[in-house]
Amino acid sequence: MGKTMEQHLRFAVCYWHTFCWDGVDPFGMNTMDRPWIGQSDAMAGARLKAEVAFEMFSLLGVPYFSFHDRDIAPEGATLAESNRNVQVITDLFAEKMQETGVNLLWGTANLFSHRRFMAGASTNPDPDVFAYSAAQVKNALDVTHKLNGQNYVLWGGREGYETLLNTNMQRELDQMGRFLNLVVDYKHKIGFDGTILIEPKPQEPTKHQYDFDVATVYGFLKRYGLEDEVRVNIEVGHAVLSGHSFEHEIATANALGIFGSIDANRNDYQSGWDTDQFPNNVPEMSLALYYILQAGGFTTGGLNFDSKLRRQSTDPADLLYGHIGGMDTCARALLAAAAMHESGDLNALVSERYAGWDSEVAQAMLSRESTLESIAERVERENIDPQPKSGRQEYCENLVNRFL
Ligand code: GLO
Ligand code: NI
Ligand code: NI
Ligand code: NI
C-alpha cells in the first residue's frame, strides 16, 4: 500500500472521556480522582488538565487529539467570557503542540450539556438558542482553524425529539439544514480547509436523533445541498445502536462518497446505550479497516478513541492501558485488513460475481438511451432466461476467517 502502519493509523485521544469524565453515570457519583475537576480556580484547573493531557499524548506517542470547546476551558458568565477562556487554553495548546508535535484531528462545540440546549441547539424551538449555538460554533471553528485542525465535527447531541407530539419535524430539519449551510459558508470564508464531519447516532440523549445513521445523514445533506461539502464521522457504538454493523456504515459512506473519519470504540451488542469502551474487537475493526483500505484509506480522517474507562477502573494508569489496548486492537486489525486487501481474493470473487456487467449490452442498460421497452424487447428477442449463479457466500465468509 506504500504507507507505513503509522501513516494508516492516525490515532487521536479525545479530551472529554479521557480528562473530563470522572466516573459519574445516571445512577452513581464520581469514582475517579481527577485533581483538576472542581478546583475553585477553574482556569487553573484547565491549565493543569492541559499539562496532564499533553504529557499523556506524548507517553502514548499518538499523533492527534480532539476536543469540545467546553472540555478544555470552563464556561464563563457570558459567551464572550467563555470564548476568552477557550482562547487562553488554545493558546497554551498551540505552544504544547509545537513542543510535542501532537496535532489536532478535530475540534467541536459542546451544544448539549448546558441546560439551555435541553430542547436541542440548531433545532431548538427558541431562535435565541439557534443564535447562541451559531455563535458558539463560530468560535469553535475559529480555534480549530487556528490550531490547524484536520476536520471539524458536528455531533447532533440533542438534535432530535423526545415526543413527536410537541415537535414540528419539518421546521426542525429546515433549521438544522440552514445551520449547517451557515457553518459551511463560514468555513469557506475563513479559508479552513479541514473537512466538516457529521457524526450520526440514532438515539441517546434524545429518544430519536435526526442524524440517525449514515444513510439518513446522506438524505439530509442532499435535501439541503451539502452532499459535496460534508462527510461523516462514523462511531462503532453508534452503528451498533442503529442496528447496523460498523463495516456496514463504512461501506454505506463509501458507496455514497461521504466517508470521512471514525470514532474507534466498542459497544457490546446487547447494550441499548452508548458504552464507549476502548476498541477490543479485532474482527470487527478488521472488517471496518478493510473497507477503509478498499476506498483508499483516510485522507483528513483518523481513528479517534471516543472511549472511556469502565467506572471501576479507577487507577489513572488504566487510562494508559485502555489506549494501549485500543491501539493494539487497531494495529492487529490493520494487519488483517491489509492482508485481506492485498491478497485480492475477495475482490476477485466480487469481480467474478459481477462479470456479466462487463459486456456492452449490459452496460447499455445503464445508459440514458435505454428504456424499459428497449430492454423488454431484447429480452423477448434473445429469449433471455436467467439461471441461478452461485454467490459463493459460505466460501467468502470462510475465506475471511483466514485473515482475522
Ligand atoms: C456521543 C458522541 C460524542 C461525540 C463528540 C464529538 O455519543 O459519540 O462523544 O463523538 O461529541 O462530536
Ligand atoms: Ni457516541
Ligand atoms: Ni461515543
Ligand atoms: Ni463519538
Side-chain angles (χ1 to χ4, degrees):
M1 289 290 294
K3 277 191 191 171
T4 64
M5 215 163 180
E6 270 91 358
Q7 286 166 333
H8 275 294
L9 296 174
R10 295 156 51 88
F11 290 127
V13 170
C14 84
Y15 220 87
W16 55 100
H17 288 316
T18 312
F19 308 111
C20 306
W21 184 69
D22 57 7
V24 285
D25 76 2
F27 303 96
M29 325 256 295
N30 55 317
T31 57
M32 301 162 189
D33 294 326
R34 297 287 181 259
W36 48 85
I37 298 182
Q39 273 204 4
S40 55
D41 181 348
M43 278 305 277
R47 281 196 201 88
L48 174 62
K49 185 158 61 167
E51 293 291 334
V52 173
F54 275 84
E55 193 181 326
M56 202 179 106
F57 303 154
S58 296
L59 273 174
L60 291 169
V62 288
Y64 293 105
F65 73 113
S66 59
F67 67 87
H68 300 82
D69 49 3
R70 296 293 170 268
D71 303 337
I72 62 170
E75 175 137 2
T78 60
L79 185 60
E81 191 186 328
S82 301
N83 289 351
R84 276 197 298 278
N85 292 346
V86 167
Q87 191 60 54
V88 169
I89 300 297
T90 49
D91 285 348
L92 178 60
F93 281 2
E95 284 169 30
K96 295 266 165 205
M97 288 166 70
Q98 187 80 33
E99 263 168 50
T100 58
V102 176
N103 291 307
L104 178 61
L105 187 64
W106 44 264
T108 185
N110 179 328
L111 303 179
F112 45 88
S113 291
H114 194 280
R115 66 180 187 174
R116 72 175 68 87
F117 302 117
M118 69 181 171
S122 69
T123 59
N124 204 292
D126 179 351
D128 283 349
V129 181
F130 182 99
Y132 195 99
S133 308
Q136 202 179 315
V137 167
K138 176 185 176 295
N139 190 65
L141 255 170
D142 284 336
V143 299
T144 300
H145 181 39
K146 226 171 121 189
L147 295 175
N148 201 19
Q150 304 276 299
N151 308 274
Y152 182 86
V153 168
L154 294 120
W155 167 58
R158 291 185 195 273
E159 310 291 32
Y161 61 78
E162 299 299 338
T163 170
L164 266 181
L165 296 171
N166 69 357
T167 302
N168 182 334
M169 196 193 283
Q170 188 183 344
R171 182 183 270 280
E172 295 199 358
L173 290 174
D174 284 350
Q175 286 176 206
M176 201 163 82
R178 180 69 199 128
F179 192 86
L180 194 55
N181 267 287
L182 288 167
V183 171
V184 166
D185 288 348
Y186 188 64
K187 162 200 155 143
H188 290 305
K189 169 128 197 272
I190 62 176
F192 173 60
D193 55 15
T195 312
I196 304 282
L197 301 170
I198 288 192
E199 183 175 325
K201 186 175 186 183
Q203 77 220 24
E204 196 202 14
T206 69
K207 180 176 84 171
H208 177 97
Q209 310 260 134
Y210 292 136
D211 295 328
F212 194 91
D213 60 1
V214 171
T216 310
V217 167
Y218 183 73
F220 169 78
L221 294 176
K222 271 292 229 200
R223 172 81 172 91
Y224 297 99
L226 292 167
E227 71 275 19
D228 298 326
E229 293 281 358
V230 177
R231 292 171 168 240
V232 281
N233 181 42
I234 304 172
E235 176 166 322
V236 181
H238 301 182
V240 169
L241 286 177
S242 57
H244 302 303
S245 65
F246 185 37
E247 67 269 21
H248 165 92
E249 286 292 82
I250 290 168
T252 304
N254 284 342
L256 297 170
I258 56 167
F259 176 74
S261 196
I262 64 173
D263 270 7
N265 58 20
R266 171 83 210 278
N267 231 66
D268 291 317
Y269 297 110
Q270 75 274 25
S271 56
W273 67 93
D274 195 4
T275 56
D276 290 322
Q277 291 154 253
F278 283 92
N280 61 26
N281 184 333
V282 176
E284 176 179 69
M285 196 53 82
S286 302
L287 289 171
L289 288 173
Y290 173 67
Y291 288 103
I292 292 171
L293 288 182
Q294 291 274 99
F298 293 107
T299 48
T300 62
L303 300 95
N304 175 55
F305 290 120
D306 189 356
S307 307
K308 63 175 190 278
L309 295 175
R310 306 300 80 204
R311 69 192 287 273
Q312 302 92 330
S313 298
T314 54
D315 183 344
D318 290 326
L319 271 177
L320 293 173
Y321 290 125
H323 282 94
I324 292 165
M327 288 195 267
D328 282 348
T329 298
C330 295
R332 286 188 55 184
L334 179 65
L335 290 175
M340 267 167 81
H341 181 67
E342 273 151 25
S343 85
D345 293 353
L346 282 167
N347 278 335
L349 278 161
V350 172
S351 306
E352 182 189 307
R353 186 156 178 246
Y354 294 89
W357 283 95
D358 293 344
S359 78
E360 242 169 73
V361 260
Q363 283 299 314
M365 285 194 288
L366 303 179
S367 79
R368 294 269 171 176
E369 286 110 71
S370 295
T371 61
L372 269 189
E373 293 120 291
S374 71
I375 294 171
E377 214 173 83
R378 187 172 65 87
V379 170
E380 213 171 298
R381 194 173 59 240
E382 297 178 15
N383 195 15
I384 290 176
D385 180 16
Q387 297 302 312
K389 290 194 186 72
S390 178
R392 308 179 75 190
Q393 182 156 329
E394 287 67 24
Y395 180 77
C396 293
E397 286 175 343
N398 196 26
L399 181 76
V400 165
N401 285 334
R402 267 196 358 228
F403 302 100
L404 301 181

